[in-house]
Structures are given as C-alpha cells and as structure tokens.
Amino acid sequence: MHLLDILALRPVPASAVFLSLTRRCPLSCRHCSTNSAIGSEEHSPDLFTRLVESFTPDAHPRLVLMSGGEALLRPSLVERIATRARESGTASYVLSGMFFARDGRIPGPIKKAIDAVDHFAASVDAFHEEEVPRRAVLEVLGALRAEGKDVSVQLTGLGDDDPYLAEAVGDIRETLGDRVPVLVGLVGPVGRAAGWLGDWPEERRRVLTHRPIALPPAPCTMAAWPVVTFDGTVVACCNQDVADRGEAVPHLTLGHAARDGWPEIRERCLSRPLLRAIRAVGPQYVASMGGVPEGGGYCETCRLLSDDPRAEAVATRPVFSLLDADATRRQVAEGAAGFARRYGSARYGELVGLGR
Ligand code: SF4
C-alpha cells in the first residue's frame, strides 16, 4: 500500500483508526510529542486486539495505523493485529523510530511484524539521528524496499527553510533512488518540544493549531480518524492534548476499547452532531452560531463545546450532515500532496508521490 493510498483516505471519516500501542520508547528524542520514555505507560494488549476482533468483512475500517511511543517494542502485537485486520479486509501500517537499526539488522520478531503490515514508515529527523544514525535507517529501508515492501519516510524539520530538511531530502532521495515516498512534517510546540521550541509565526501557528485568521467556516480535518489512546480510551482526533485528557471532553470521546467495538465507534464518529459540525465548519464557527463564548483558540474552543447546550442545539441542524459530506469531498479533491503541503511542509509536499 503506497503512502498516496493512505493519505487519500485521510479526509474520509471512520475510514481508518489509529492505535497507540504503547507510550514506551527506548529513545528519548528532544522533540517527542508524546513525552515517551522506556518507563512510560503500557496497557494490556487485549485492549487493542479486542477492538480489532470486532472488525468483520461487512463492518471494518479500511486501514489500521499503529504507533506509540515505539509500536515495535510490541512486535507480536503488531503482527497479530495486522494478521487479524487483514482477515476482515483492513490494511495495516506501522510507524517506527527504528531503534533496532542501530545494530544494523532487524531482529526476527520485528521482521515478522514488518512483514505482516501493508506499509512500514520510519521517522527520520535531526533528533532521532542523535540516537539512530540516518545511514543505518536508510540501509534497512533500502533492503525492505528491495524485497518489495511498501515503505515511506516520515521526515520532520523546523520549517520549510530548515537546512537540515534540504540536506536530508537530498540524501534520502539519492540513497533510495527516489523509490521511497517522503512525508515531510514540521515540529510543533507539543510534548517535549513545548519546552524549547517557542512559538510559531502567525501563519504557521494558524495551520498547526487550525486557527482561522478571521471567522469564515474552517473545517477541522483532524476529526476523521478515531484514535485509541495508550489506555484504550477512543477519542475523535489525533490532537495529543485531547488524547492526554482521556474521557474529559465528552463530544470528543467515542468510547473505550475495553467495552466498545468498531461498529459503535464508527457510528459515533459519523453521526455525533458536534463532531459533524466541527468537521463541516470548525469549532469557532459553531460557537459563534450558538453564541457560545470562545475558548481562546481553535482547539481550545472545541474542547469547551460540550459544556454549553447551545452548541449542541446548533450542531443538530440537519444541514451539517450535508456540509460534513461536502467538506470531505473537497478535501479528497485536494489530493494527498495537498494534504501533505497543508499539514506538513508546503515546499516538500510533492515527495509523497515518490516511488508510485
Ligand atoms: S478542533 Fe477539536 S476535533 Fe479538531 S483537532 Fe482540534 S480538538 Fe480535535
């Protein structure tokens, strides 16, 4: 499964589900958005397998994405999920910081996990490179690609003008012969990076935190894929702050993997009025329609909406199901490179098509 096929699903509500298999990670990168360490939390594998067991040929997401922490600290769990998901028609993806590449080889259980998934993505950035040499990562990726594996690089820098990005893009393209797609993202002021990154210029901050400059409708494009957090709570978006609050924000909580199956989670994702309205016009627009006070920003306002019944009253208007579908249609038409440019690097967005 090529990266383009994965990104093409990104705007489609409930077409995929993220599983945060563990917060543990053997690396301690300075920009880590989840504040992961080797002693971080890790919950029962049953939480995640139970959810995947609820997929059926008639009711399943098209893709399951596994990350962490470091998902490949649980290789047998990754393999089990990928194998079971495929039985129902669901493809699989795993993202890794490739701690194992330091030794220049892939340990047996990790190779079996990588073989089991439909797409393997590796994180590369200046901070990972302090722990795992880029040369070692690219060697492993090149070998996997030569076997016919669909792989990609998730490359992260500080901005389009970051000289590290220019140098790393050139090196990756040359070393891997333009056969491997690259999704270029930018470090955001969350997790460990919040302590040193400082703030972004207004235009960049607007994109990262989805804040509109004025108040036209500004659909949230991050509320399409449910996320199963480290403890099994299922939330509606991949905003790390929402994941860390667990069940504290009712309209963004879709359930819990210990008690809910995919059919219930999918139904809540698609039909919950506030979620549909947020995807259709954005939280600040919903707040302004209902006379709800703003929370100081885009996601900040979103988190307050379920505290005020006027927001729910606005969101139940039937027009929002039409507008939700229209927003999805427009984002699908924008294409994978459009998504990559808007949420990552504008300069390097086209690299998601390499190796097609
Ligand atoms: S606007 Fe709401 S749903 Fe969208 S990313 Fe922010 S917190 Fe999540």
Side-chain angles (χ1 to χ4, degrees):
M1 185 178 208
H2 191 276
L3 181 63
L4 285 176
D5 302 318
I6 293 168
L7 294 179
L9 293 174
R10 191 66 184 94
V12 182
S15 60
V17 60
F18 279 111
L19 305 180
S20 306
L21 296 185
T22 176
R23 198 192 280 267
R24 295 178 66 228
C25 181
L27 309 180
S28 47
C29 302
R30 287 187 291 124
H31 69 318
C32 180
S33 63
T34 53
N35 258 320
S36 290
I38 195 62
S40 296
E41 70 190 275
E42 181 169 284
H43 293 268
S44 165
D46 300 347
L47 276 178
F48 305 99
T49 51
R50 185 185 178 282
L51 179 68
V52 178
E53 290 289 341
S54 73
F55 298 174
T56 68
D58 294 331
H60 61 87
R62 290 172 63 186
L63 178 67
V64 60
L65 301 102
M66 294 171 270
S67 67
E70 171 54 68
L72 286 175
L73 284 179
R74 309 186 97 175
S76 60
L77 179 59
V78 170
E79 184 188 355
R80 212 171 344 139
I81 287 172
T83 305
R84 175 59 185 85
R86 185 171 293 121
E87 289 168 12
S88 303
T90 300
S92 56
Y93 161 110
V94 68
L95 172 67
S96 171
M98 292 189 66
F99 66 97
F100 50 87
R102 283 190 289 213
D103 301 332
R105 61 183 191 91
I106 310 180
I110 291 180
K111 181 66 165 61
K112 282 175 74 183
I114 294 172
D115 287 345
V117 298
D118 294 285
H119 188 98
F120 175 70
S123 296
V124 175
D125 48 68
F127 314 101
H128 275 94
E129 288 191 32
E130 290 171 5
E131 314 238 3
V132 186
R134 186 196 310 161
R135 187 64 33 208
V137 169
L138 297 186
E139 254 172 46
V140 171
L141 283 182
L144 289 170
R145 188 71 196 96
E147 288 176 13
K149 190 85 207 162
D150 269 316
V151 299
S152 64
V153 174
Q154 193 157 313
L155 179 67
T156 306
L158 294 175
D160 271 356
D161 296 328
D162 184 348
Y164 167 81
L165 280 184
E167 184 276 325
V169 163
D171 182 30
I172 292 166
R173 294 188 67 170
E174 187 182 334
T175 305
L176 299 176
D178 273 353
R179 289 170 302 143
V180 171
V182 183
L183 176 62
V184 181
L186 304 179
V187 181
V190 291
R192 267 183 216 132
W196 57 265
L197 186 60
D199 220 342
W200 292 96
E202 175 57 30
E203 180 62 16
R204 188 66 211 143
R205 191 165 62 240
R206 183 182 70 79
V207 174
L208 281 175
T209 58
H210 324 289
R211 288 178 190 166
I213 288 170
L215 196 63
C220 172
T221 52
M222 289 295 163
W225 290 356
V227 177
V228 182
T229 63
F230 304 113
D231 70 356
T233 307
V234 187
V235 295
C237 74
C238 50
N239 182 323
Q240 191 58 40
D241 186 60
V242 171
D244 288 341
R245 284 168 195 246
E247 298 186 332
V249 189
H251 68 289
L252 298 180
T253 305
L254 297 176
H256 198 284
R259 57 176 183 267
D260 299 306
W262 177 249
E264 295 83 36
I265 288 167
R266 176 181 183 276
E267 176 59 22
R268 290 169 195 155
C269 174
L270 295 178
S271 64
R272 186 168 287 173
L274 270 172
L275 271 182
R276 277 197 325 225
I278 290 163
R279 285 195 297 258
V281 295
Q284 288 174 309
Y285 201 80
V286 174
S288 70
M289 286 177 79
V292 178
E294 279 221 19
Y298 192 82
C299 291
E300 292 86 344
T301 300
C302 181
R303 288 194 293 266
L304 298 177
L305 290 180
S306 38
D307 294 342
D308 195 316
R310 290 174 294 180
E312 183 79 23
V314 165
T316 48
R317 295 180 190 172
V319 69
F320 283 116
S321 59
L322 290 175
L323 292 175
D324 185 16
D326 186 56
T328 301
R329 224 177 357 258
R330 280 184 285 116
Q331 289 161 36
V332 168
E334 187 185 46
F339 175 86
R341 274 194 297 270
R342 199 139 52 88
Y343 285 95
S345 158
R347 178 175 298 173
Y348 299 108
E350 298 300 327
L351 300 183
V352 295
L354 290 177
R356 178 55 139 176

